[in-house]
Amino acid sequence: AWCLTCQVNESGVLSDAEVLKAMEHHDVIVLKADWTNGDPEITKALKSHQRSGVPLYLVYSPHRPRDPVILPEILTKSAVLEALEQASQP
């Protein structure tokens, strides 16, 4: 609730009908980590992707499970759709 950028991304991009349809088409599983209390596992994940804070959006591919697409902190619909398409390619 404290991350304004996260809230804007969720309401403006991640809840967009076209983005939701693309997620469904690509069988995306959405996982959300709450860093409100500074969870050490989330901190470790942030550091592993050279980030010091949230938001951090990763799109994992079954073809490259150790090499996620890292999205920008401020999302755009086109960036998310492109990342989903990229992750679906072998």
Side-chain angles (χ1 to χ4, degrees):
W2 57 271
C3 175
L4 182 59
T5 304
C6 300
Q7 292 176 31
V8 169
N9 287 336
E10 287 178 24
S11 66
V13 177
L14 297 176
S15 63
D16 177 86
E18 187 177 355
V19 170
L20 292 171
K21 185 176 180 179
M23 287 183 183
E24 183 178 333
H25 172 76
H26 292 292
D27 293 323
V28 170
I29 297 170
V30 177
L31 303 173
K32 183 176 178 180
D34 185 345
W35 199 44
T36 301
N37 297 317
D39 182 282
E41 286 299 314
I42 297 171
T43 303
K44 181 179 172 182
L46 289 166
K47 287 182 180 180
S48 75
H49 295 289
Q50 292 77 49
R51 294 286 178 90
S52 59
V54 294
L56 172 61
Y57 299 98
L58 305 170
V59 178
Y60 286 91
S61 169
H63 310 291
R64 296 172 305 284
R66 300 203 186 284
D67 186 26
V69 176
I70 301 174
L71 292 169
E73 291 179 32
I74 298 174
L75 297 178
T76 63
K77 185 166 74 169
S78 61
V80 173
L81 294 173
E82 183 179 309
L84 294 173
E85 190 60 38
Q86 182 181 347
S88 72
Q89 303 301 315

